[in-house]
mmCIF file of all heavy atoms in Angstrom:
data_model
loop_
_atom_site.group_PDB
_atom_site.id
_atom_site.type_symbol
_atom_site.label_atom_id
_atom_site.label_comp_id
_atom_site.label_asym_id
_atom_site.label_seq_id
_atom_site.Cartn_x
_atom_site.Cartn_y
_atom_site.Cartn_z
ATOM 1 N N LYS A 445 1.420 16.049 5.666
ATOM 2 C CA LYS A 445 0.592 15.232 6.593
ATOM 3 C C LYS A 445 1.190 15.316 8.007
ATOM 4 O O LYS A 445 0.445 15.395 8.989
ATOM 5 C CB LYS A 445 0.449 13.794 6.143
ATOM 6 C CG LYS A 445 -0.393 13.617 4.919
ATOM 7 C CD LYS A 445 -0.704 12.192 4.576
ATOM 8 C CE LYS A 445 0.518 11.459 4.103
ATOM 9 N NZ LYS A 445 0.211 10.038 3.744
ATOM 10 N N ALA A 446 2.508 15.267 8.160
ATOM 11 C CA ALA A 446 3.142 15.268 9.452
ATOM 12 C C ALA A 446 2.927 16.649 10.115
ATOM 13 O O ALA A 446 2.598 16.703 11.314
ATOM 14 C CB ALA A 446 4.644 15.022 9.292
ATOM 15 N N VAL A 447 3.116 17.758 9.364
ATOM 16 C CA VAL A 447 2.898 19.053 9.964
ATOM 17 C C VAL A 447 1.449 19.302 10.294
ATOM 18 O O VAL A 447 1.149 19.839 11.313
ATOM 19 C CB VAL A 447 3.382 20.145 8.960
ATOM 20 C CG1 VAL A 447 3.011 21.561 9.413
ATOM 21 C CG2 VAL A 447 4.860 20.105 8.772
ATOM 22 N N TYR A 448 0.574 18.816 9.452
ATOM 23 C CA TYR A 448 -0.863 18.929 9.745
ATOM 24 C C TYR A 448 -1.222 18.224 11.086
ATOM 25 O O TYR A 448 -1.932 18.750 11.910
ATOM 26 C CB TYR A 448 -1.635 18.293 8.590
ATOM 27 C CG TYR A 448 -3.079 18.022 8.868
ATOM 28 C CD1 TYR A 448 -4.024 18.988 8.951
ATOM 29 C CD2 TYR A 448 -3.529 16.683 9.076
ATOM 30 C CE1 TYR A 448 -5.360 18.724 9.172
ATOM 31 C CE2 TYR A 448 -4.855 16.387 9.340
ATOM 32 C CZ TYR A 448 -5.803 17.423 9.375
ATOM 33 O OH TYR A 448 -7.116 17.121 9.655
ATOM 34 N N CYS A 449 -0.648 16.984 11.314
ATOM 35 C CA CYS A 449 -0.937 16.284 12.529
ATOM 36 C C CYS A 449 -0.382 16.993 13.726
ATOM 37 O O CYS A 449 -0.998 17.060 14.813
ATOM 38 C CB CYS A 449 -0.363 14.876 12.428
ATOM 39 S SG CYS A 449 -1.204 13.794 11.259
ATOM 40 N N LEU A 450 0.835 17.523 13.611
ATOM 41 C CA LEU A 450 1.410 18.320 14.687
ATOM 42 C C LEU A 450 0.588 19.576 15.053
ATOM 43 O O LEU A 450 0.421 19.951 16.202
ATOM 44 C CB LEU A 450 2.831 18.714 14.359
ATOM 45 C CG LEU A 450 3.828 17.562 14.415
ATOM 46 C CD1 LEU A 450 5.179 18.066 13.841
ATOM 47 C CD2 LEU A 450 4.081 17.088 15.868
ATOM 48 N N CYS A 451 0.051 20.220 13.980
ATOM 49 C CA CYS A 451 -0.843 21.349 14.241
ATOM 50 C C CYS A 451 -2.127 20.969 14.948
ATOM 51 O O CYS A 451 -2.615 21.679 15.818
ATOM 52 C CB CYS A 451 -1.224 22.032 12.897
ATOM 53 S SG CYS A 451 0.168 22.941 12.141
ATOM 54 N N LEU A 452 -2.649 19.793 14.642
ATOM 55 C CA LEU A 452 -3.826 19.291 15.357
ATOM 56 C C LEU A 452 -3.525 19.129 16.851
ATOM 57 O O LEU A 452 -4.362 19.347 17.716
ATOM 58 C CB LEU A 452 -4.285 17.977 14.763
ATOM 59 C CG LEU A 452 -4.905 17.951 13.352
ATOM 60 C CD1 LEU A 452 -5.421 16.578 13.018
ATOM 61 C CD2 LEU A 452 -6.095 18.914 13.238
ATOM 62 N N LEU A 453 -2.315 18.679 17.083
ATOM 63 C CA LEU A 453 -1.863 18.490 18.476
ATOM 64 C C LEU A 453 -1.446 19.782 19.196
ATOM 65 O O LEU A 453 -1.081 19.813 20.342
ATOM 66 C CB LEU A 453 -0.679 17.501 18.534
ATOM 67 C CG LEU A 453 -0.985 16.062 18.185
ATOM 68 C CD1 LEU A 453 0.293 15.240 17.921
ATOM 69 C CD2 LEU A 453 -1.815 15.396 19.300
ATOM 70 N N GLY A 454 -1.465 20.909 18.433
ATOM 71 C CA GLY A 454 -1.108 22.194 19.007
ATOM 72 C C GLY A 454 0.424 22.348 19.206
ATOM 73 O O GLY A 454 0.862 23.049 20.121
ATOM 74 N N HIS A 455 1.197 21.751 18.335
ATOM 75 C CA HIS A 455 2.653 21.814 18.411
ATOM 76 C C HIS A 455 3.212 22.301 17.079
ATOM 77 O O HIS A 455 2.828 21.808 16.012
ATOM 78 C CB HIS A 455 3.200 20.392 18.734
ATOM 79 C CG HIS A 455 4.652 20.355 19.031
ATOM 80 N ND1 HIS A 455 5.248 21.071 20.093
ATOM 81 C CD2 HIS A 455 5.687 19.727 18.443
ATOM 82 C CE1 HIS A 455 6.539 20.843 20.096
ATOM 83 N NE2 HIS A 455 6.806 20.078 19.129
ATOM 84 N N PHE A 456 4.176 23.281 17.114
ATOM 85 C CA PHE A 456 4.585 23.935 15.929
ATOM 86 C C PHE A 456 6.097 24.027 15.809
ATOM 87 O O PHE A 456 6.685 25.097 16.077
ATOM 88 C CB PHE A 456 3.952 25.358 15.839
ATOM 89 C CG PHE A 456 2.451 25.334 16.035
ATOM 90 C CD1 PHE A 456 1.910 25.489 17.244
ATOM 91 C CD2 PHE A 456 1.665 25.133 14.936
ATOM 92 C CE1 PHE A 456 0.549 25.503 17.450
ATOM 93 C CE2 PHE A 456 0.276 25.150 15.092
ATOM 94 C CZ PHE A 456 -0.294 25.273 16.364
ATOM 95 N N PRO A 457 6.755 22.933 15.554
ATOM 96 C CA PRO A 457 8.265 23.026 15.393
ATOM 97 C C PRO A 457 8.616 23.825 14.137
ATOM 98 O O PRO A 457 7.968 23.669 13.081
ATOM 99 C CB PRO A 457 8.650 21.522 15.234
ATOM 100 C CG PRO A 457 7.436 20.823 14.754
ATOM 101 C CD PRO A 457 6.260 21.583 15.374
ATOM 102 N N SER A 458 9.592 24.691 14.231
ATOM 103 C CA SER A 458 9.848 25.641 13.203
ATOM 104 C C SER A 458 10.477 25.007 11.971
ATOM 105 O O SER A 458 10.077 25.346 10.833
ATOM 106 C CB SER A 458 10.812 26.770 13.741
ATOM 107 O OG SER A 458 11.979 26.130 14.139
ATOM 108 N N ALA A 459 11.379 24.057 12.106
ATOM 109 C CA ALA A 459 12.111 23.450 10.953
ATOM 110 C C ALA A 459 11.141 22.814 9.957
ATOM 111 O O ALA A 459 11.179 23.068 8.742
ATOM 112 C CB ALA A 459 13.153 22.526 11.433
ATOM 113 N N PRO A 460 10.258 21.869 10.393
ATOM 114 C CA PRO A 460 9.278 21.298 9.455
ATOM 115 C C PRO A 460 8.359 22.338 8.782
ATOM 116 O O PRO A 460 8.042 22.250 7.635
ATOM 117 C CB PRO A 460 8.464 20.317 10.295
ATOM 118 C CG PRO A 460 9.366 20.070 11.453
ATOM 119 C CD PRO A 460 10.110 21.301 11.720
ATOM 120 N N LEU A 461 7.931 23.319 9.590
ATOM 121 C CA LEU A 461 7.065 24.346 9.044
ATOM 122 C C LEU A 461 7.729 25.135 7.919
ATOM 123 O O LEU A 461 7.168 25.466 6.884
ATOM 124 C CB LEU A 461 6.559 25.295 10.137
ATOM 125 C CG LEU A 461 5.347 24.791 10.979
ATOM 126 C CD1 LEU A 461 5.200 25.592 12.261
ATOM 127 C CD2 LEU A 461 4.074 24.821 10.160
ATOM 128 N N GLU A 462 8.912 25.536 8.261
ATOM 129 C CA GLU A 462 9.680 26.329 7.245
ATOM 130 C C GLU A 462 9.960 25.568 5.936
ATOM 131 O O GLU A 462 9.824 26.080 4.878
ATOM 132 C CB GLU A 462 11.078 26.785 7.875
ATOM 133 C CG GLU A 462 10.947 27.812 8.932
ATOM 134 C CD GLU A 462 12.216 28.188 9.627
ATOM 135 O OE1 GLU A 462 13.238 27.612 9.146
ATOM 136 O OE2 GLU A 462 12.243 28.935 10.655
ATOM 137 N N GLN A 463 10.266 24.296 6.113
ATOM 138 C CA GLN A 463 10.517 23.502 4.889
ATOM 139 C C GLN A 463 9.261 23.300 4.109
ATOM 140 O O GLN A 463 9.220 23.304 2.893
ATOM 141 C CB GLN A 463 11.138 22.091 5.285
ATOM 142 C CG GLN A 463 11.403 21.216 4.023
ATOM 143 C CD GLN A 463 12.351 20.090 4.364
ATOM 144 O OE1 GLN A 463 13.321 20.277 5.081
ATOM 145 N NE2 GLN A 463 12.089 18.912 3.801
ATOM 146 N N LEU A 464 8.089 23.075 4.840
ATOM 147 C CA LEU A 464 6.803 22.882 4.127
ATOM 148 C C LEU A 464 6.437 24.113 3.362
ATOM 149 O O LEU A 464 5.921 23.977 2.200
ATOM 150 C CB LEU A 464 5.725 22.542 5.154
ATOM 151 C CG LEU A 464 4.322 22.497 4.601
ATOM 152 C CD1 LEU A 464 4.150 21.314 3.641
ATOM 153 C CD2 LEU A 464 3.284 22.340 5.781
ATOM 154 N N LEU A 465 6.662 25.284 3.920
ATOM 155 C CA LEU A 465 6.141 26.513 3.306
ATOM 156 C C LEU A 465 7.207 27.150 2.396
ATOM 157 O O LEU A 465 7.014 28.247 1.843
ATOM 158 C CB LEU A 465 5.737 27.544 4.395
ATOM 159 C CG LEU A 465 4.544 27.075 5.282
ATOM 160 C CD1 LEU A 465 4.285 28.065 6.362
ATOM 161 C CD2 LEU A 465 3.365 26.819 4.395
ATOM 162 N N HIS A 466 8.299 26.415 2.176
ATOM 163 C CA HIS A 466 9.336 26.875 1.200
ATOM 164 C C HIS A 466 8.785 26.736 -0.172
ATOM 165 O O HIS A 466 8.017 25.829 -0.531
ATOM 166 C CB HIS A 466 10.613 26.101 1.366
ATOM 167 C CG HIS A 466 11.776 26.667 0.683
ATOM 168 N ND1 HIS A 466 12.064 26.445 -0.648
ATOM 169 C CD2 HIS A 466 12.773 27.544 1.110
ATOM 170 C CE1 HIS A 466 13.179 27.045 -0.986
ATOM 171 N NE2 HIS A 466 13.531 27.762 0.074
ATOM 172 N N SER A 467 9.141 27.612 -1.072
ATOM 173 C CA SER A 467 8.588 27.672 -2.433
ATOM 174 C C SER A 467 8.810 26.345 -3.172
ATOM 175 O O SER A 467 7.960 25.878 -3.949
ATOM 176 C CB SER A 467 9.158 28.810 -3.216
ATOM 177 O OG SER A 467 10.588 28.689 -3.243
ATOM 178 N N SER A 468 9.979 25.780 -3.020
ATOM 179 C CA SER A 468 10.282 24.486 -3.731
ATOM 180 C C SER A 468 9.337 23.343 -3.294
ATOM 181 O O SER A 468 8.901 22.548 -4.100
ATOM 182 C CB SER A 468 11.745 24.092 -3.477
ATOM 183 O OG SER A 468 12.020 23.853 -2.114
ATOM 184 N N THR A 469 9.042 23.256 -1.980
ATOM 185 C CA THR A 469 8.112 22.224 -1.497
ATOM 186 C C THR A 469 6.690 22.517 -1.970
ATOM 187 O O THR A 469 5.970 21.539 -2.403
ATOM 188 C CB THR A 469 8.145 22.179 0.063
ATOM 189 O OG1 THR A 469 9.468 22.090 0.529
ATOM 190 C CG2 THR A 469 7.283 21.067 0.550
ATOM 191 N N LEU A 470 6.307 23.742 -1.963
ATOM 192 C CA LEU A 470 4.922 24.070 -2.455
ATOM 193 C C LEU A 470 4.789 23.778 -3.907
ATOM 194 O O LEU A 470 3.708 23.324 -4.324
ATOM 195 C CB LEU A 470 4.644 25.572 -2.166
ATOM 196 C CG LEU A 470 4.618 26.022 -0.699
ATOM 197 C CD1 LEU A 470 4.409 27.509 -0.579
ATOM 198 C CD2 LEU A 470 3.465 25.279 0.055
ATOM 199 N N GLU A 471 5.834 23.934 -4.650
ATOM 200 C CA GLU A 471 5.759 23.639 -6.097
ATOM 201 C C GLU A 471 5.620 22.105 -6.289
ATOM 202 O O GLU A 471 4.870 21.680 -7.191
ATOM 203 C CB GLU A 471 7.100 24.071 -6.773
ATOM 204 C CG GLU A 471 7.135 25.620 -6.948
ATOM 205 C CD GLU A 471 8.491 26.044 -7.533
ATOM 206 O OE1 GLU A 471 9.279 25.142 -7.851
ATOM 207 O OE2 GLU A 471 8.754 27.249 -7.619
ATOM 208 N N GLN A 472 6.268 21.294 -5.506
ATOM 209 C CA GLN A 472 6.191 19.851 -5.576
ATOM 210 C C GLN A 472 4.753 19.434 -5.273
ATOM 211 O O GLN A 472 4.226 18.465 -5.901
ATOM 212 C CB GLN A 472 7.110 19.168 -4.605
ATOM 213 C CG GLN A 472 8.548 19.358 -4.932
ATOM 214 C CD GLN A 472 9.491 18.680 -3.892
ATOM 215 O OE1 GLN A 472 9.204 17.602 -3.405
ATOM 216 N NE2 GLN A 472 10.542 19.371 -3.495
ATOM 217 N N LEU A 473 4.079 20.110 -4.349
ATOM 218 C CA LEU A 473 2.747 19.703 -3.950
ATOM 219 C C LEU A 473 1.674 20.137 -4.927
ATOM 220 O O LEU A 473 0.521 19.648 -4.927
ATOM 221 C CB LEU A 473 2.426 20.316 -2.562
ATOM 222 C CG LEU A 473 3.163 19.647 -1.333
ATOM 223 C CD1 LEU A 473 3.019 20.498 -0.152
ATOM 224 C CD2 LEU A 473 2.583 18.315 -1.127
ATOM 225 N N GLU A 474 1.960 21.092 -5.784
ATOM 226 C CA GLU A 474 0.896 21.601 -6.735
ATOM 227 C C GLU A 474 0.451 20.499 -7.612
ATOM 228 O O GLU A 474 -0.730 20.405 -7.976
ATOM 229 C CB GLU A 474 1.518 22.763 -7.501
ATOM 230 C CG GLU A 474 1.529 24.080 -6.736
ATOM 231 C CD GLU A 474 2.098 25.212 -7.590
ATOM 232 O OE1 GLU A 474 2.408 24.938 -8.800
ATOM 233 O OE2 GLU A 474 2.309 26.316 -7.051
ATOM 234 N N GLY A 475 1.360 19.605 -8.012
ATOM 235 C CA GLY A 475 0.986 18.538 -8.956
ATOM 236 C C GLY A 475 0.624 17.207 -8.312
ATOM 237 O O GLY A 475 0.437 16.178 -8.972
ATOM 238 N N SER A 476 0.563 17.178 -6.956
ATOM 239 C CA SER A 476 0.319 15.872 -6.250
ATOM 240 C C SER A 476 -1.133 15.532 -6.317
ATOM 241 O O SER A 476 -1.980 16.329 -6.637
ATOM 242 C CB SER A 476 0.747 16.005 -4.787
ATOM 243 O OG SER A 476 -0.041 16.998 -4.108
ATOM 244 N N LYS A 477 -1.390 14.274 -5.990
ATOM 245 C CA LYS A 477 -2.790 13.763 -6.013
ATOM 246 C C LYS A 477 -3.522 14.255 -4.685
ATOM 247 O O LYS A 477 -2.955 14.921 -3.926
ATOM 248 C CB LYS A 477 -2.772 12.223 -6.051
ATOM 249 C CG LYS A 477 -2.144 11.635 -7.278
ATOM 250 C CD LYS A 477 -2.149 10.125 -7.244
ATOM 251 C CE LYS A 477 -1.543 9.469 -8.459
ATOM 252 N NZ LYS A 477 -1.537 8.023 -8.378
ATOM 253 N N PHE A 478 -4.734 13.845 -4.655
ATOM 254 C CA PHE A 478 -5.563 14.151 -3.503
ATOM 255 C C PHE A 478 -5.657 15.679 -3.272
ATOM 256 O O PHE A 478 -5.261 16.204 -2.196
ATOM 257 C CB PHE A 478 -5.060 13.447 -2.197
ATOM 258 C CG PHE A 478 -4.749 11.991 -2.431
ATOM 259 C CD1 PHE A 478 -3.426 11.588 -2.410
ATOM 260 C CD2 PHE A 478 -5.760 11.114 -2.686
ATOM 261 C CE1 PHE A 478 -3.104 10.184 -2.628
ATOM 262 C CE2 PHE A 478 -5.492 9.769 -2.918
ATOM 263 C CZ PHE A 478 -4.164 9.308 -2.861
#
Side-chain angles (χ1 to χ4, degrees):
K445 290 190 290 185
V447 171
Y448 165 75
C449 291
L450 287 171
C451 288
L452 292 184
L453 291 167
H455 188 61
F456 307 94
S458 59
L461 277 165
E462 290 174 5
Q463 180 163 320
L464 173 65
L465 299 177
H466 193 274
S467 59
S468 60
T469 307
L470 296 176
E471 287 175 4
Q472 294 177 42
L473 287 167
E474 284 180 4
S476 64
K477 298 179 181 179
F478 314 111

